Amino acid sequence: MEQQLEMVGRAFVDHYYNLFDNDRSSIGTLYQPSSMLSFEGQKLQGSEDISAKLNALPFGQCKHAISTIDSQPSSFSGGIIVFVSGSIQLLGEDYPLRFSQMFHLIPTVEGSFFVQNDIFRLNYG
């Protein structure tokens, strides 16, 4: 069970950041109308608002480097909590920014997952 959680968590993280870095306009497909995002303290709900926020960020190209991925089962049947730490390198910047992000993944009837909750913070200091 634990190994499967880790595999799903890793596969989701790889997919999410690949979309974010290479096809950000498609990232809204990972969310649903009930999904919630807290981005640096700003709270958004729904796939359209979340997608609009992520696509309006003041940078284009970027590259995520993942340091750690921790996954746990959630109290929602089949749900998974995924916690990610890493860095993001913005085009034209000398130094990467450290970040932490948490996802609550909920299974779909089609057999995949969607992001119910997403919390993102840059790590300063």
Side-chain angles (χ1 to χ4, degrees):
M1 171 79 165
E2 184 175 327
Q3 187 176 15
Q4 183 178 1
L5 284 175
E6 295 295 328
M7 285 176 38
V8 170
R10 163 70 61 188
F12 170 78
V13 166
D14 290 346
H15 181 62
Y16 180 89
Y17 293 110
N18 182 57
L19 278 181
F20 194 102
D21 294 349
N22 300 300
D23 188 16
R24 200 175 315 162
S25 63
S26 297
I27 207 156
T29 61
L30 300 177
Y31 299 89
Q32 292 194 357
S34 64
S35 298
M36 298 178 71
L37 167 66
S38 293
F39 189 91
E40 289 291 303
Q42 180 184 8
K43 294 178 178 16
L44 300 149
Q45 183 167 1
S47 55
E48 289 183 16
D49 288 349
I50 292 168
S51 180
K53 170 65 179 177
L54 297 178
N55 283 288
L57 292 172
F59 56 87
Q61 286 187 299
C62 63
K63 178 66 178 150
H64 287 84
I66 305 307
S67 301
T68 64
I69 302 171
D70 296 296
S71 301
Q72 294 182 354
S74 76
S75 59
F76 187 93
S77 180
I80 302 173
I81 302 289
V82 182
F83 182 79
V84 181
S85 67
S87 60
I88 180 171
Q89 182 68 52
L90 304 180
L91 186 65
E93 295 294 324
D94 292 334
Y95 301 102
L97 301 169
R98 302 284 305 156
F99 75 92
S100 297
Q101 192 161 13
M102 186 283 306
F103 300 98
H104 184 198
L105 307 178
I106 301 296
T108 66
V109 293
E110 295 85 14
S112 62
F113 289 86
F114 76 93
V115 179
Q116 176 60 45
N117 303 90
D118 179 352
I119 301 171
F120 175 91
R121 281 284 182 177
L122 290 173
N123 300 332
Y124 299 104

